[in-house]
Amino acid sequence: MSKPALNEKDFQDAARQLNCEVAAIKAVAAVESKGDGFLPTGEPKILFERHIFSKRTNGLFDKTNPGISNPLAGGYGASASQHKRLQEAVILNRNAALMSASWGRFQVMGFNYALAGFNSLQEFVTAMYKGEREHLFAFVNYIINTSLGDELREKRWSDFARKYNGPDYKKNNYDVKMAEAYKKLKGSSRSLVTTKTPVKKSTISKNKKTKGIPNYFQ
């Protein structure tokens, strides 16, 4: 079940908005989701963070559900199992669960929905199911609202990863991976352009369910 993917113009529009190189944006996507925002099932790629869920529920489920609620990060399992883990957590505490996963092509955390340009957590989750343009919209807004544009523009990958992935970014070598991805991509992507063009998200109905979203997410 394919979902609308990003094209080169989408990346160019985002690069104008952030005043950076297309290759820099693509490098982040390459590391965060291996350059693809959706699973073959049509579900957005996610990573459920059990330590975030534990923190947001005050450890209430740490003893009864340690696989999805744990003060320690880890226990991720396969990429294909993430939605099952999320569903388990949703049954316990829906909002905390949805905020405890990173979503889409750029793996924006659910608890950052407002910084990503959305009015509500539900609007954010609905958008993540629609297409990669919505993923890009979330990324651009997050970069702007967290003042990460300079780090991305100047390819200061360690500084970027520290803020984007957290203080433990070195454990997964996010900065090194992004730098390597950028080197591979810079030759095939257009350089930065300075005329800003807003990255628009698709219109999302608040009253109509979006096809493909599990009922427990709506």
Side-chain angles (χ1 to χ4, degrees):
M1 183 186 297
S2 62
K3 292 292 182 76
L6 292 173
N7 56 41
E8 196 64 21
K9 185 179 183 300
D10 293 326
F11 281 109
Q12 290 167 6
D13 288 346
R16 290 188 184 96
Q17 188 76 354
L18 297 174
N19 196 28
C20 71
E21 294 177 61
V22 167
I25 298 174
K26 288 184 176 180
V28 176
V31 173
E32 292 296 326
S33 64
K34 297 182 179 179
D36 188 355
F38 288 90
L39 298 170
T41 58
E43 297 169 305
K45 284 186 177 179
I46 65 168
L47 187 66
F48 183 76
E49 300 281 7
R50 68 184 188 183
H51 66 292
I52 301 295
F53 184 71
S54 174
K55 181 179 180 179
R56 290 193 164 269
T57 54
N58 297 314
L60 181 62
F61 306 105
D62 287 359
K63 291 184 178 180
T64 57
N65 303 81
I68 58 171
S69 185
N70 195 304
L72 300 177
Y76 296 106
S79 176
S81 69
Q82 297 306 304
H83 278 273
K84 181 179 180 181
R85 297 177 70 227
L86 177 59
Q87 183 179 358
E88 289 181 42
V90 164
I91 293 172
L92 300 175
N93 187 313
R94 181 180 182 279
N95 282 359
L98 297 177
M99 287 192 283
S100 299
S102 55
W103 295 80
R105 189 156 179 174
F106 297 89
Q107 291 295 286
V108 175
M109 287 298 302
F111 61 75
N112 285 321
Y113 71 85
L115 290 171
F118 296 90
N119 295 318
S120 68
L121 176 61
Q122 182 60 62
E123 185 182 23
F124 170 79
V125 172
T126 300
M128 294 302 99
Y129 271 86
K130 289 183 73 67
E132 289 187 348
R133 183 172 292 180
E134 284 72 21
H135 299 179
L136 182 60
F137 172 87
F139 173 75
V140 169
N141 276 288
Y142 182 78
I143 296 301
I144 292 172
N145 290 327
T146 56
S147 301
L148 264 172
D150 287 346
E151 288 85 344
L152 185 64
R153 188 177 308 113
E154 298 166 9
K155 280 83 70 180
R156 288 190 278 119
W157 297 115
S158 292
D159 293 334
F160 180 85
R162 184 180 294 107
K163 295 179 182 179
Y164 195 83
N165 301 103
D168 292 331
Y169 72 97
K170 273 293 185 183
K171 288 183 178 180
N172 291 303
N173 289 322
Y174 283 113
D175 56 332
V176 175
K177 292 176 181 177
M178 289 180 190
E180 292 176 347
Y182 169 75
K183 288 180 181 178
K184 292 179 181 178
L185 290 162
K186 68 177 181 179
S188 60
S189 298
R190 289 183 59 183
S191 298
L192 66 85
V193 281
T194 56
T195 303
K196 293 187 178 181
T197 303
V199 177
K200 297 180 179 180
K201 61 178 177 177
S202 300
T203 301
I204 302 169
S205 172
K206 295 182 179 180
N207 298 317
K208 185 178 180 180
K209 291 186 177 181
T210 299
K211 185 177 181 181
I213 302 182
N215 289 333
Y216 50 82
F217 286 168
Q218 300 193 69

